[in-house]
Coordinates of all heavy atoms in Angstrom, one line a residue:
R1459 N 9.3 -39.8 2.2 CA 8.5 -40.5 1.3 C 7.0 -40.4 1.8 O 6.7 -40.8 2.9 CB 8.9 -42.0 1.2 CG 10.3 -42.2 0.6 CD 10.7 -43.6 0.8 NE 10.8 -43.9 2.2 CZ 11.1 -45.2 2.7 NH1 11.3 -46.2 1.9 NH2 11.2 -45.4 4.0
P1460 N 6.1 -40.0 0.9 CA 4.7 -39.9 1.4 C 4.2 -41.2 1.8 O 4.5 -42.3 1.3 CB 4.0 -39.4 0.1 CG 5.0 -38.7 -0.7 CD 6.3 -39.5 -0.4
S1461 N 3.4 -41.2 2.9 CA 2.7 -42.4 3.5 C 3.7 -43.4 4.1 O 3.3 -44.5 4.5 CB 1.8 -43.1 2.5 OG 0.8 -42.2 2.0
K1462 N 5.0 -43.1 4.1 CA 6.0 -44.1 4.6 C 6.8 -43.5 5.7 O 7.0 -44.1 6.8 CB 6.9 -44.6 3.5 CG 6.2 -45.4 2.5 CD 7.2 -46.0 1.5 CE 6.5 -46.9 0.4 NZ 7.5 -47.4 -0.6
D1463 N 7.3 -42.3 5.5 CA 8.2 -41.7 6.5 C 7.5 -40.7 7.5 O 6.3 -40.4 7.3 CB 9.3 -40.9 5.8 CG 10.3 -41.8 5.0 OD1 10.5 -42.9 5.5 OD2 10.8 -41.4 3.9
N1464 N 8.2 -40.3 8.5 CA 7.6 -39.4 9.5 C 8.6 -38.4 9.9 O 9.8 -38.5 9.6 CB 7.1 -40.2 10.7 CG 8.2 -40.8 11.5 OD1 8.9 -40.2 12.2 ND2 8.3 -42.1 11.3
V1465 N 8.2 -37.3 10.6 CA 9.0 -36.3 11.2 C 8.6 -36.2 12.6 O 7.4 -36.5 13.0 CB 9.0 -35.0 10.5 CG1 9.4 -35.1 9.0 CG2 7.6 -34.3 10.6
V1466 N 9.5 -35.7 13.5 CA 9.2 -35.4 14.9 C 9.4 -33.9 15.1 O 10.3 -33.3 14.6 CB 10.1 -36.3 15.8 CG1 10.0 -35.8 17.2 CG2 9.8 -37.7 15.6
A1467 N 8.5 -33.3 15.9 CA 8.6 -31.9 16.2 C 8.1 -31.6 17.7 O 7.3 -32.4 18.2 CB 7.8 -31.1 15.2
I1468 N 8.6 -30.5 18.2 CA 8.1 -30.1 19.5 C 6.7 -29.6 19.4 O 6.2 -29.2 18.3 CB 9.0 -29.1 20.1 CG1 9.1 -27.8 19.2 CG2 10.4 -29.6 20.4 CD1 9.9 -26.7 19.8
E1469 N 6.0 -29.6 20.5 CA 4.6 -29.0 20.6 C 4.5 -28.3 21.9 O 4.8 -28.8 23.0 CB 3.7 -30.2 20.5 CG 2.2 -29.8 20.6 CD 1.6 -29.3 19.3 OE1 2.3 -29.3 18.3 OE2 0.5 -28.8 19.4
P1470 N 4.1 -27.0 21.8 CA 3.6 -26.2 20.7 C 4.8 -25.7 19.9 O 5.9 -25.5 20.5 CB 2.8 -25.1 21.3 CG 3.5 -24.9 22.7 CD 3.9 -26.3 23.1
T1471 N 4.5 -25.3 18.7 CA 5.6 -24.7 17.8 C 4.9 -24.1 16.6 O 3.7 -24.0 16.5 CB 6.7 -25.7 17.5 OG1 7.8 -25.0 17.0 CG2 6.2 -26.7 16.4
Y1472 N 5.7 -23.6 15.7 CA 5.3 -23.0 14.4 C 4.4 -23.9 13.6 O 4.8 -25.1 13.4 CB 6.5 -22.5 13.6 CG 6.2 -21.9 12.3 CD1 5.2 -20.9 12.2 CD2 7.0 -22.2 11.2 CE1 5.0 -20.2 11.0 CE2 6.7 -21.5 10.0 CZ 5.7 -20.6 9.9 OH 5.5 -19.9 8.7
G1473 N 3.3 -23.5 13.2 CA 2.3 -24.4 12.6 C 2.6 -24.9 11.2 O 2.0 -25.9 10.8
M1474 N 3.5 -24.2 10.5 CA 3.8 -24.7 9.1 C 4.4 -26.0 9.0 O 4.4 -26.7 8.0 CB 4.6 -23.6 8.4 CG 3.8 -22.5 7.8 SD 2.4 -23.0 6.7 CE 3.3 -23.8 5.3
Y1475 N 5.1 -26.5 10.1 CA 5.8 -27.8 10.1 C 4.7 -28.9 9.9 O 4.8 -29.8 9.1 CB 6.5 -28.1 11.4 CG 7.5 -27.0 11.8 CD1 7.7 -26.7 13.1 CD2 8.2 -26.3 10.9 CE1 8.6 -25.7 13.5 CE2 9.1 -25.3 11.3 CZ 9.3 -25.0 12.6 OH 10.1 -24.0 13.0
S1476 N 3.6 -28.8 10.6 CA 2.5 -29.8 10.5 C 1.7 -29.6 9.3 O 1.3 -30.6 8.7 CB 1.6 -29.7 11.8 OG 1.0 -28.5 11.9
V1477 N 1.5 -28.3 8.8 CA 0.8 -28.1 7.6 C 1.5 -28.7 6.4 O 1.0 -29.4 5.6 CB 0.6 -26.6 7.3 CG1 0.0 -26.3 5.9 CG2 -0.4 -26.0 8.4
C1478 N 2.9 -28.5 6.3 CA 3.7 -29.1 5.3 C 3.6 -30.6 5.3 O 3.6 -31.3 4.3 CB 5.1 -28.6 5.3 SG 5.3 -26.9 4.7
A1479 N 3.6 -31.2 6.5 CA 3.6 -32.6 6.7 C 2.2 -33.2 6.1 O 2.2 -34.2 5.4 CB 3.7 -33.0 8.2
A1480 N 1.2 -32.5 6.4 CA -0.1 -32.9 5.9 C -0.2 -32.8 4.4 O -0.7 -33.7 3.7 CB -1.3 -32.1 6.5
I1481 N 0.3 -31.7 3.8 CA 0.3 -31.5 2.4 C 1.1 -32.6 1.7 O 0.7 -33.1 0.6 CB 0.9 -30.1 2.0 CG1 -0.1 -29.0 2.5 CG2 1.2 -30.0 0.5 CD1 0.5 -27.6 2.4
N1482 N 2.2 -33.0 2.3 CA 3.1 -34.0 1.7 C 2.8 -35.4 2.1 O 3.5 -36.4 1.8 CB 4.6 -33.7 2.0 CG 5.1 -32.5 1.3 OD1 5.5 -32.6 0.1 ND2 5.1 -31.3 1.9

Side-chain angles (χ1 to χ4, degrees):
R1459 297 168 298 174
S1461 300
K1462 293 183 179 180
D1463 293 327
N1464 66 76
V1465 302
V1466 170
I1468 58 175
E1469 179 77 8
T1471 195
Y1472 180 44
M1474 278 305 296
Y1475 310 143
S1476 61
V1477 170
C1478 284
I1481 290 170
N1482 287 280

